[in-house]
Amino acid sequence: MSPQEKAAAITGYKGSRLIAALTCYDYPTARLLDEAGTDILLVGDSLGMVVLGFPDTTRVTLAHILHHLEAVVRAQPQALVIADLPIHTYETPQQALETARKLAAAGADAVKLEGGIRQAEKVRAITSAGIPVCGHLGMLPQRVLEEGGYHKKGKTPEQTRAILEGAEALIAAGVFAIILESVTPAASREITAAISVPTIGIGCGEGTCDGQIAVITDLLGSFPWFVPPFAKPEADLAAATIAAARKYIGRVQGGR
Ligand code: KIV
């Protein structure tokens, strides 16, 4: 399937079945998650926090994303591969298109960027060039420094209306889906019911969106230093790693 067909298939799931998406940053994980049947692999800029050890996503560069995207793409996943446009790489429509083209050339099926009305022109520049775009509304991690932390969105009718207006602007510019991050359950339900493309939620409550996305380290329990309150780990790889390493160290150091 072409990237455009894969993205259209995701849009088509709205109202018929829920969408499962996971972040992914490397080759073996991409192979395993694809075999498990995930619909979407997102090479997200959460990479900066859960792989590169930065305090937030604002230090992630295009070179970082390209390096990890290329590893994910080497797994030749069936899933739609989305790559994040890092902060400062989409300041103008022209720069957004140049960045998106680099990510598409590296094998991304689609790209994602944060923000609503003020990004619509940039989204249009990218979709007009045939590259599918996923929106990202609600809490925007690339704005954590300006906003002084991670704050829940959709708490008032005005905030919900602003997200809805952003969603409509992105849809008019051609997005195939929108990630909603840390939006209240009630606002997520309202937005999901109101718009024509799927919403994929994180930190929005279960059953409130057309799908969900999880950061892979939250699912696997491999980044124990910060686990968001909404995360539902299905494994404890941190403990398994320490146990395996201790066994190895004991075997090697006790060998003489
Ligand atoms: O970078 C990322 O992992 C994301 C998800 C939190 C949606 O944008």
Side-chain angles (χ1 to χ4, degrees):
M1 268 206 271
S2 70
Q4 294 76 12
E5 287 167 338
K6 281 186 179 182
I10 297 291
T11 307
Y13 292 149
K14 188 170 177 101
S16 62
R17 80 145 166 91
L18 298 174
I19 297 158
L22 286 163
T23 69
C24 184
Y25 319 103
D26 62 64
Y27 170 86
T29 311
R31 282 191 69 167
L32 295 171
L33 301 184
D34 203 48
E35 190 176 326
T38 188
D39 295 309
I40 294 173
L41 291 172
L42 169 66
V43 185
D45 58 6
S46 51
L47 163 73
M49 301 168 78
V50 301
V51 177
L52 302 179
F54 294 138
D56 54 51
T57 63
T58 63
R59 297 195 208 169
V60 175
T61 65
L62 182 57
H64 291 139
I65 294 283
L66 283 169
H67 181 72
H68 289 266
L69 169 65
E70 284 164 5
V72 167
V73 167
R74 269 178 222 120
Q76 299 185 314
Q78 299 292 305
L80 179 85
V81 176
I82 306 178
D84 258 342
L85 270 70
I87 191 167
H88 305 315
T89 69
Y90 55 106
E91 309 276 357
T92 64
Q94 192 191 337
Q95 190 195 20
L97 178 56
E98 277 165 20
T99 307
R101 281 199 165 124
K102 285 179 188 157
L103 293 168
D109 293 316
V111 299
K112 173 167 84 62
L113 53 76
E114 296 185 6
I117 292 177
R118 69 199 176 106
Q119 309 296 24
E121 228 189 303
K122 300 166 193 172
V123 170
R124 192 180 298 285
I126 302 170
T127 57
S128 300
I131 301 171
V133 180
C134 179
H136 186 152
L137 293 171
M139 200 274 286
L140 305 178
Q142 291 178 6
R143 302 192 62 190
V144 64
L145 300 179
E146 289 102 302
E147 298 207 352
Y150 300 106
H151 304 295
K152 199 97 187 157
K153 302 291 171 164
K155 283 180 164 172
T156 62
E158 292 72 32
Q159 277 185 10
T160 305
R161 200 170 332 109
I163 299 172
L164 254 176
E165 284 170 7
E168 292 301 352
L170 293 177
I171 292 166
V175 296
F176 68 89
I178 295 176
I179 286 183
L180 289 184
E181 180 158 2
S182 291
V183 175
T184 63
S188 299
R189 273 198 204 91
E190 186 182 331
I191 294 159
T192 298
I195 67 174
S196 58
V197 302
T199 57
I200 302 174
I202 179 163
C204 298
E206 284 189 17
T208 62
C209 292
D210 297 305
Q212 282 197 53
I213 183 159
V215 172
I216 188 61
T217 52
D218 291 343
L219 184 73
L220 299 180
S222 59
F223 191 86
W225 306 281
F226 174 71
V227 182
F230 54 81
K232 285 202 171 165
E234 298 288 358
D236 189 351
L237 292 199
T241 303
I242 291 171
R246 282 194 176 136
K247 277 191 188 163
Y248 164 79
I249 292 162
R251 180 159 44 84
V252 171
Q253 291 179 343
R256 197 190 292 170

